[in-house]
Amino acid sequence: MSQPPGREQEGRALDFFGAVTASATHEIKNELAVINEQSHLMLEMLQMAAQGRQPDPQRLADLTGRIIARVGQADQVVRRLNTFAHSAEKQRDRCLVAPALELIVRCYVRLAALKGVSLELAPLAGRETLEIKAPPILLEQALWAALQAAVAAAASGSRLQVGLEQAGGVLRLRLAGELTAPPAALPDQVLAPLGATARAEDGALVLEIPLSPPPAA
């Protein structure tokens, strides 16, 4: 039995939110595992020192540096997850596109890497003010779906270039790379709330979304 459109759209949004959260917490868990391992190595060296064996200062410095670096990486993941979580709370009718795109691409890097695909986001300079008339979470969901479809169609070991441009009153997101098959169609439940369309081109997936008119002065 099929679900009503509203219920199906809500379920898809929950799936999206869960996928982003699960990926981020997996990254954090990986960083914590490495920090735990390196901390135990430092503890072993200190225990050896307590028994009269001189620890290697350079090795201690290297381990400390690695732990600091891993903490920094984990902190970046937490910041991204926090930004994403707050985007669901913003009940605005307008959304800046560039920050949302940068956030979702960064969130998807690990999942793309699992499929042997690297993501490259083109510079967003000059596009900071582009916005659409939709809550941030709806745009992020569409961007995630586009990345998911393009990465699934990309060849392992290839690079997927993500570009953002404006064509008249339309925002155009282009995901181009070495695709082994046409990307899967994006769900209507993801496109419809944005008035968006998606199509496959030669070696690319193109997502088009109407831009918001400038706010009245």
Side-chain angles (χ1 to χ4, degrees):
M1 182 176 179
S2 61
Q3 294 181 333
R7 184 67 60 83
E8 186 175 352
Q9 186 176 0
E10 180 181 337
R12 189 173 293 276
L14 288 173
D15 287 344
F16 160 61
F17 202 90
V20 176
T21 304
S23 180
T25 53
H26 190 90
E27 285 188 75
I28 294 169
K29 183 178 179 181
N30 285 346
E31 298 297 346
L32 289 175
V34 175
I35 291 170
N36 182 61
E37 179 184 354
Q38 293 172 339
S39 298
H40 276 82
L41 288 175
M42 290 186 67
L43 180 60
E44 289 176 7
M45 294 180 68
L46 292 173
Q47 289 173 340
M48 291 168 60
Q51 296 171 2
R53 297 179 59 182
Q54 181 67 27
D56 183 350
Q58 185 58 53
R59 190 181 179 199
L60 277 173
D62 289 344
L63 285 171
T64 302
R66 291 174 192 170
I67 291 173
I68 292 172
R70 290 289 183 168
V71 169
Q73 292 176 24
D75 181 66
Q76 289 301 313
V77 179
V78 172
R79 288 173 183 269
R80 289 198 300 270
L81 183 57
N82 183 263
T83 300
F84 172 72
H86 282 297
S87 71
E89 300 173 356
K90 298 175 181 175
Q91 299 301 315
R92 300 194 312 263
D93 62 352
R94 290 176 182 267
C95 172
L96 290 171
V97 175
L101 176 59
E102 184 173 11
L103 172 65
I104 294 302
V105 168
R106 290 185 181 277
C107 287
Y108 208 86
V109 164
R110 185 188 73 86
L111 296 177
L114 291 176
K115 295 183 176 295
V117 177
S118 60
L119 299 180
E120 178 182 329
L121 179 60
L124 297 173
R127 297 172 174 81
E128 296 89 349
T129 60
L130 293 178
E131 62 178 18
I132 63 169
K133 193 171 183 180
I137 195 68
L138 294 182
L139 173 60
E140 292 164 357
Q141 181 178 231
L143 296 174
W144 184 274
L147 282 167
Q148 193 173 40
V151 168
S156 179
S158 67
R159 178 178 60 185
L160 191 66
Q161 296 178 314
V162 183
L164 180 66
E165 59 186 34
Q166 179 182 357
V170 176
L171 167 76
R172 180 175 294 155
L173 175 73
R174 181 180 175 85
L175 300 95
E178 183 184 346
L179 305 185
T180 59
L186 302 192
D188 290 338
Q189 294 84 359
V190 169
L191 299 176
L194 301 172
T197 60
R199 67 178 185 277
E201 291 185 349
D202 185 23
L205 172 63
V206 178
L207 176 66
E208 291 187 340
I209 306 172
L211 285 165
S212 300

